[in-house]
Amino acid sequence: MSWNRKNRAERTAEQAWEYLTSAMTTAEANAGKAGRKSRKLARRAASEAGGRVSSVTDEAWARANAAASALAGSKPSRPWGLIVTIGLLGVAAGWAAASTARAAQERQAENEELELAETAVVVTPTYDER
């Protein structure tokens, strides 16, 4: 029974691989056509139209490559750029919070010092000259 499941799983994976390679071949052919069309459109229309076609083609190609990698068993790469960016934002936010807290503590210390100076009683000794 487990052999039957394994064969079925292998057949399903093989069929998915065939569909994917067929889809990628078709996408590659269409990307070439879309690229030629986008160049023609770019000459006639605004550059925005070519950018949209290009971005859609790029997204489709990226998704097809991700699917092929998943079927091949490789793990997706980590988004290091995003991780570094978030880390730097965290450092900047921490620095800003620390600077604000330090400034608040300094203001509080100054206010306490002024308050003590205002309420201080100066006692001068008196000399009795008898």
Side-chain angles (χ1 to χ4, degrees):
M1 186 150 180
S2 67
W3 179 256
N4 190 17
R5 285 185 190 166
K6 185 176 180 183
N7 283 340
R8 188 174 14 182
E10 287 177 355
R11 282 193 310 262
T12 302
E14 187 175 312
Q15 188 178 24
W17 184 260
E18 288 173 8
Y19 287 151
L20 180 63
T21 54
S22 173
M24 287 180 73
T25 303
T26 303
E28 189 174 55
N30 288 339
K33 291 177 187 176
R36 286 190 296 274
K37 286 183 181 178
S38 67
R39 284 190 293 273
K40 289 179 183 177
L41 286 174
R43 290 184 195 122
R44 293 184 210 148
S47 62
E48 186 179 323
R52 284 186 201 150
V53 170
S54 176
S55 66
V56 169
T57 304
D58 292 344
E59 176 68 19
W61 190 250
R63 287 181 182 225
N65 282 326
S69 296
L71 279 173
S74 58
K75 294 181 180 180
S77 64
R78 296 190 190 272
W80 288 112
L82 181 62
I83 292 169
V84 168
T85 301
I86 290 172
L88 290 174
L89 287 174
V91 168
W95 178 80
S99 296
T100 303
R102 190 177 327 111
Q105 285 178 340
E106 288 174 2
R107 278 193 304 267
Q108 183 179 4
E110 287 174 6
N111 288 338
E112 288 175 359
E113 193 175 309
L114 285 174
E115 187 177 320
L116 283 174
E118 289 175 357
T119 59
V121 175
V122 178
V123 177
T124 56
T126 57
Y127 294 105
D128 197 14
E129 291 188 26
R130 287 188 217 177

